[in-house]
């Protein structure tokens, strides 16, 4: 019962913070402030009221349209809110109220923003990854699972490996992907970071193969890699250590 209550609280908090993550996804690529001005309709510019900002529920009540101008609202907004709520609840169930949970929540939030901006713009802003690297390293001094040495090695090894892959692919990967991988290494350590990279590469390959087979993608057509890296990072949060134990690490 206690765990169910904790999960419900974490889910609600995640949905609310997911609304803020949407603001970050929308504003960070263009260099806008994420705190001012308050949220407004991206079409008509009308400032949104509290009733327009209830996570997920407002989208459903308004049937996915702006209350003031009727323009369609991107499905991204409720998806991010719902995904953040589910992620926070899952982290709470695994770690309870702990520093480890905070560590995972911060990383998960940054990964959601990175994935969202990459999907929308094809870019992962330095304003997400560079502070994320620093935050991940600082949190390692308080984390029961990742030491500062493991975090530093994660930054160098995970970021360095992706840099080498980017060089080998001759531009097939961008600098944002390299910094994103370094950020994940800072939070997860080098071993779990490499697990995240492997999972992300596997997911990206599967989607690419299926897309080509279905005629939705052409061979050599670029696609954002950040969302798959981010998915690998989230998966590694929950099963990374288990997978490493199977390999004898």
């Amino acid at each position: 019962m206690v765990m169910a209550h904790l999960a419900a609280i974490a889910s609600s908090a995640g949905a609310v913070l997911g609304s803020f993550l949407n603001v970050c996804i929308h504003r960070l690529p263009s260099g806008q402030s994420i705190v001012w001005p308050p949220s407004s309709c991206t079409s008509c510019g009308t400032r949104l009221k509290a009733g327009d900002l209830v996570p997920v529920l407002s989208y459903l009540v308004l049937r996915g349209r702006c209350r003031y101008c009727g323009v369609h609202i991107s499905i991204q907004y409720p998806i991010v809110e719902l995904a953040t709520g589910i992620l926070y609840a899952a982290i709470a169930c695994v770690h309870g109220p702990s520093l480890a949970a905070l560590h995972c929540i911060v990383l998960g939030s940054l990964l959601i923003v990175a994935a969202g901006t990459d999907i929308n713009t094809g870019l992962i802003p330095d304003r997400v990854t560079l502070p994320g690297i620093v935050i991940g390293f600082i949190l390692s001094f308080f984390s029961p699972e990742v030491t500062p040495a493991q975090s530093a090695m994660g930054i160098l090894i995970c970021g360095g490996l992706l840099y080498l892959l980017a060089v080998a692919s001759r531009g097939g990967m961008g600098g944002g992907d390299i910094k994103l991988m370094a950020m994940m290494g800072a939070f997860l350590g080098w071993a779990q970071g490499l697990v995240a990279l492997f999972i992300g590469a596997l997911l990206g390959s599967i989607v690419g193969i299926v897309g080509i087979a279905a005629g939705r993608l052409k061979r050599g057509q670029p696609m954002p890699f950040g969302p798959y890296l981010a998915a690998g990072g989230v998966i590694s949060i929950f099963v990374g250590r288990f997978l490493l134990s199977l390999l004898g690490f």
Side-chain angles (χ1 to χ4, degrees):
M1 184 65 71
V2 173
M3 188 59 70
H5 287 164
L6 180 61
I9 293 171
S11 177
S12 299
V16 172
L17 286 173
S19 182
F20 172 70
L21 297 185
N22 272 317
V23 173
C24 295
I25 291 169
H26 176 68
R27 297 185 182 184
L28 284 177
S30 59
Q32 299 179 63
S33 169
I34 58 175
V35 295
W36 189 264
S39 296
S40 60
C41 173
T42 57
S43 178
C44 66
T46 303
R47 184 172 296 182
L48 303 180
K49 299 180 174 61
D52 305 319
L53 298 171
V54 180
V56 182
L57 185 60
S58 289
Y59 185 89
L60 296 176
V61 170
L62 295 172
R63 298 181 180 181
R65 295 189 177 276
C66 173
R67 183 193 304 274
Y68 309 100
C69 67
V71 167
H72 177 71
I73 301 170
S74 172
I75 191 66
Q76 167 200 301
Y77 291 91
I79 287 177
V80 168
E81 292 162 355
L82 186 61
T84 308
I86 292 173
L87 176 61
Y88 282 23
I91 291 172
C93 288
V94 172
H95 294 289
S98 64
L99 288 174
L102 175 63
H103 191 267
C104 294
I105 282 173
V106 173
L107 173 58
S109 300
L110 290 169
L111 291 177
I112 288 173
V113 175
T117 57
D118 202 11
I119 290 171
N120 287 348
T121 67
L123 299 172
I124 303 174
D126 288 349
R127 294 173 68 187
V128 176
T129 53
L130 296 184
I133 292 171
V134 175
I135 293 169
F137 181 67
I138 291 174
L139 287 179
S140 70
F141 286 89
F142 309 96
S143 171
E145 298 185 348
V146 180
T147 67
Q150 290 170 334
S151 177
M153 290 178 65
I155 296 169
L156 294 174
I157 293 175
C158 295
L161 178 58
L162 210 67
Y163 173 76
L164 293 176
L165 292 174
V167 172
S169 66
R170 298 182 180 181
M173 295 180 189
D177 296 326
I178 298 169
K179 295 164 193 170
L180 176 62
M181 200 63 241
M183 184 188 80
M184 285 197 285
F187 277 91
L188 298 172
W190 70 270
Q192 268 188 272
L194 292 181
V195 170
L197 174 58
F198 173 79
I199 295 173
L202 179 62
L203 292 175
S205 298
I206 292 172
V207 171
I209 292 170
V210 172
I212 292 172
R216 294 183 176 274
L217 292 174
K218 296 180 180 179
R219 292 184 181 276
Q221 178 180 339
M223 64 180 192
F225 191 36
Y228 304 105
L229 288 177
V234 170
I235 293 172
S236 187
I237 286 174
F238 295 102
V239 301
R241 288 187 175 275
F242 171 72
L243 294 177
L244 287 171
S245 68
L246 294 179
L247 297 173
F249 286 92

